Amino acid sequence: MEFCEKLKELRTAKSLTQEELAEALFVSRTAISKWESGRGFPSLASLQEISKYFSISIDDLIDSKEIISIAENENKRHINRFVSVICNALDVFVGLLFFLPIFGNGTDNPSSLPLYSITNMSLWIKIVVMVLISLTVISGLLGIILACFNKSIWNRHRLVAGVALIVIDVMVFILIRQPYPSIITLIILMAKVILIGITIYKYPYKKS
């Protein structure tokens, strides 16, 4: 008997609704429905809760191959989440461009200054740069928050948006001839692309 059938049998034997079982296991009713229909498996932590609640061993609930598969999937989710946090933290790091003395102030003044101290830059260009940096930082902070919800599909869309913002940052810095910010954001972009590329190759995202 498969896990989905065993779970449904155990639930009905106790005359429980899916809502009641969900409350007892501290999960959503959707999760119970998903498990009973065979569209997914619970996490190892949820398996332990099911085992305790019905006083049945995990081995009696699910076979060893499925347990290994669940453990592998959890490992993938943890790694994907870790990479997502690192990439979003790099986006937040872009906020330092507000304060680092790396912006050129024109040929008449060769010294490097923080963004807010530049005088030889038109106001609208400075506003565009500040808005882009702010959006990148906000995007990174939002991504770190979303990573805590363990939703792979959200993380994937957020990472794509973050990469797109960094690409725009690099292009803008190159267009306004600011070499140091261009190099810093380019390094961040390359680091993110490498991290995401390796992770997707080894641990493909799955909807959760």
Side-chain angles (χ1 to χ4, degrees):
M1 186 183 295
E2 294 184 359
F3 169 77
C4 57
E5 297 170 329
K6 291 178 185 176
L7 181 60
K8 188 172 184 179
E9 185 179 273
L10 289 168
R11 178 178 62 79
T12 53
K14 279 201 170 188
S15 301
L16 296 170
T17 64
Q18 289 186 342
E19 289 84 355
E20 290 170 337
L21 180 57
E23 289 179 8
L25 299 177
F26 303 103
V27 297
S28 66
R29 190 206 66 80
T30 304
I32 301 296
S33 175
K34 184 178 178 181
W35 299 342
E36 289 190 353
S37 62
R39 291 181 289 114
F41 290 102
S43 65
L44 292 177
S46 294
L47 272 177
Q48 290 174 344
E49 290 299 319
I50 295 170
S51 172
K52 289 178 184 178
Y53 185 76
F54 290 110
S55 300
I56 184 173
S57 70
I58 292 178
D59 289 337
D60 290 333
L61 272 174
I62 192 167
D63 64 45
S64 57
K65 289 183 179 179
E66 290 174 332
I67 292 175
I68 292 172
S69 176
I70 291 171
E72 288 177 346
N73 287 334
E74 284 199 3
N75 185 47
K76 290 176 183 178
R77 284 197 295 270
H78 290 323
I79 292 173
N80 285 334
R81 189 190 308 172
F82 175 76
V83 170
S84 177
V85 170
I86 294 298
C87 289
N88 287 309
L90 288 172
D91 287 344
V92 176
F93 177 80
V94 172
L96 291 177
L97 297 182
F98 277 123
F99 312 104
L100 294 175
I102 57 174
F103 286 85
N105 200 30
T107 55
D108 296 335
N109 187 355
S111 61
S112 297
L113 300 170
L115 179 60
Y116 58 82
S117 298
I118 294 178
T119 56
N120 265 357
M121 181 185 289
S122 65
L123 180 61
W124 73 269
I125 291 179
K126 187 182 286 191
I127 290 173
V128 168
V129 172
M130 287 183 171
V131 168
L132 277 174
I133 293 175
S134 299
L135 285 175
T136 305
V137 172
I138 292 170
S139 175
L141 291 172
L142 180 61
I144 292 173
I145 294 170
L146 289 178
C148 298
F149 287 93
N150 197 27
K151 293 291 185 180
S152 297
I153 193 68
W154 293 359
N155 290 333
R156 181 171 59 183
H157 292 329
R158 238 297 315 140
L159 287 174
V160 170
V163 169
L165 276 171
I166 292 291
V167 169
I168 295 171
D169 290 341
V170 173
M171 293 175 63
V172 168
F173 289 138
I174 290 174
L175 286 173
I176 63 175
R177 298 180 180 179
Q178 292 290 342
Y180 295 128
S182 300
I183 292 170
I184 290 174
T185 49
L186 184 59
I187 290 172
I188 291 173
L189 175 61
M190 290 172 63
K192 291 181 68 172
V193 169
I194 291 171
L195 279 171
I196 295 170
I198 292 174
T199 306
I200 290 176
Y201 176 73
K202 288 193 172 183
Y203 306 102
Y205 285 98
K206 291 186 179 181
K207 291 183 180 180
S208 59

